[in-house]
Amino acid sequence: MEIKQIGVIGAGQMGSGIAQVAAQAGYSVVMMDASDSQLDKGIERIQKNLDRSVEKGRISVEKKVEILERIGTTSKIEVVAADSDIVIEAIIENIKVKSEVFRELDVHCPSHTILASNTSSLPITEIAAVTKRPEKVIGMHFMNPVPVMKLVEVIRGLATSDDVFHTVHDLAVQMGKQPVEVQDFPGFVSNRVLMPMINEAIYTVYEGVATPEAVDQVMKLGMNHPMGPLTLADFIGLDTCLYIMETLYEGFADSKYRPCPLLRKYVKAGWLGRKSGRGFYVYE
């Protein structure tokens, strides 16, 4: 399969990042979001990222203009679906919302179009089941921030064909990423390993073992992590961390994935991390 045009559903941090790296790789991109203001913010975010690349001498001004010209926007799902060879969904981490989007994409996309989800923990097989093309549904889990992070987890659903897997694997390489094949289990590899570590770090604060600063210092200085787990949790968003832990807990029915009560408490209080101005740390 040859990929010429890429559709992206969602103009948030992940969606705009995916649109940017796709355009940088030379693909025509249509980025869709139901909110016009979110589309404007997405394009603005891409422009700022490219401006930084120009300042650092990584790309020329002419190259920046070329990249931006490859990105179109729309608020209509039928427009993003019409001519795309692959559509990558990057919206809220909610199985009902994602399934509805895939159901609509299945109706509006040409028969050859691959449907990919940037989900960080939800089952690809379940998402694929709402379509009439489960063999063409796959996971492409990019890391945040997308323009910087190299990894893409490529997740096969139960019915994903070999042709689709290899096409998406090669697409990730063309986008400058390092694809890693992962099977369809809750949390895949990245979040199945990362989130319980973050959850356990929260437990150490909850049980009074150490302060957030101390926990992060131990992991940075003792384990050579570039960022402590609680700083990382604030960066990801504590609501997102809780949602993924709940997905793991429900998916495996194993008590080791039980979310820490302190994590639930912070989310209920609206202390979501950087995006809300307060989590385990306070942000000005």
Side-chain angles (χ1 to χ4, degrees):
M1 300 181 193
E2 186 180 1
I3 303 295
K4 292 181 179 177
Q5 180 164 303
I6 296 174
V8 177
I9 306 286
Q13 194 161 356
M14 296 303 291
S16 62
I18 293 167
Q20 179 185 328
V21 297
Q24 284 177 183
Y27 295 99
S28 295
V29 180
V30 178
M31 183 169 65
M32 178 262 168
D33 200 290
S35 164
D36 287 333
S37 64
Q38 193 65 31
L39 282 171
D40 291 340
K41 287 178 185 176
I43 291 296
E44 185 180 335
R45 193 179 294 113
I46 293 169
Q47 287 175 328
K48 285 181 179 177
N49 288 341
L50 295 175
D51 283 339
R52 279 194 292 269
S53 292
V54 171
E55 287 168 12
K56 293 177 180 178
R58 292 174 184 160
I59 61 172
S60 64
V61 174
E62 291 76 19
K63 185 69 174 176
K64 171 198 158 184
V65 172
E66 280 179 30
I67 293 166
L68 288 170
E69 285 177 345
R70 292 193 192 106
I71 304 173
T73 61
T74 182
S75 59
K76 296 181 179 179
I77 199 165
E78 55 267 29
V79 174
V80 76
D83 298 311
S84 293
D85 301 303
I86 182 171
V87 177
I88 304 170
E89 165 273 315
I91 61 170
I92 186 172
E93 194 73 352
N94 180 295
I95 190 71
K96 289 182 180 178
V97 178
K98 287 184 187 293
S99 294
E100 184 54 40
V101 167
F102 272 73
R103 194 177 281 113
E104 286 191 58
L105 286 172
D106 191 41
V107 170
H108 294 294
C109 286
S111 59
H112 75 277
T113 304
I114 296 170
L115 306 181
S117 177
N118 181 54
T119 178
S120 60
S121 62
L122 298 172
I124 298 302
T125 300
E126 187 175 341
I127 293 170
V130 306
T131 75
K132 295 178 181 177
R133 62 180 88 194
E135 74 285 352
K136 290 188 172 68
V137 178
I138 195 165
M140 277 189 94
H141 180 209
F142 291 81
M143 303 295 122
N144 187 25
V146 179
V148 176
M149 303 296 280
K150 287 291 185 184
L151 175 67
V152 175
E153 287 183 303
V154 182
I155 304 110
R156 289 178 180 262
L158 191 62
T160 306
S161 73
D162 287 341
D163 280 349
V164 166
F165 172 80
H166 291 303
T167 298
V168 170
H169 179 281
D170 292 347
L171 173 63
V173 172
Q174 289 298 314
M175 290 170 126
K177 303 303 178 186
Q178 178 62 57
V180 176
E181 181 178 359
V182 178
Q183 299 305 317
D184 190 19
F185 284 87
F188 315 130
V189 171
S190 56
N191 282 320
R192 185 173 176 178
V193 173
L194 173 65
M195 285 302 161
M197 183 192 75
I198 287 175
N199 196 50
E200 198 61 31
I202 297 170
Y203 264 112
T204 63
V205 175
Y206 176 61
E207 293 168 0
V209 177
T211 64
E213 292 84 357
V215 173
D216 281 351
Q217 282 284 79
V218 167
M219 297 307 289
K220 286 194 293 181
L221 301 179
M223 284 59 180
N224 205 28
H225 289 196
M227 184 186 295
L230 299 173
T231 301
L232 180 57
D234 275 357
F235 178 75
I236 293 168
L238 300 188
D239 52 341
T240 301
C241 293
L242 176 59
Y243 189 87
I244 295 170
M245 284 306 302
E246 288 174 333
T247 299
L248 291 168
Y249 189 40
E250 292 166 11
F252 290 110
D254 191 326
S255 61
K256 73 180 180 181
Y257 298 115
R258 183 177 64 245
C260 178
L262 185 61
L263 176 58
R264 290 190 186 280
K265 190 174 186 178
Y266 277 26
V267 171
K268 285 179 180 177
W271 295 7
L272 307 181
R274 281 182 177 272
K275 62 187 174 185
S276 68
R278 180 163 191 170
F280 287 98
Y281 299 94
V282 176
Y283 302 91
E284 296 299 333

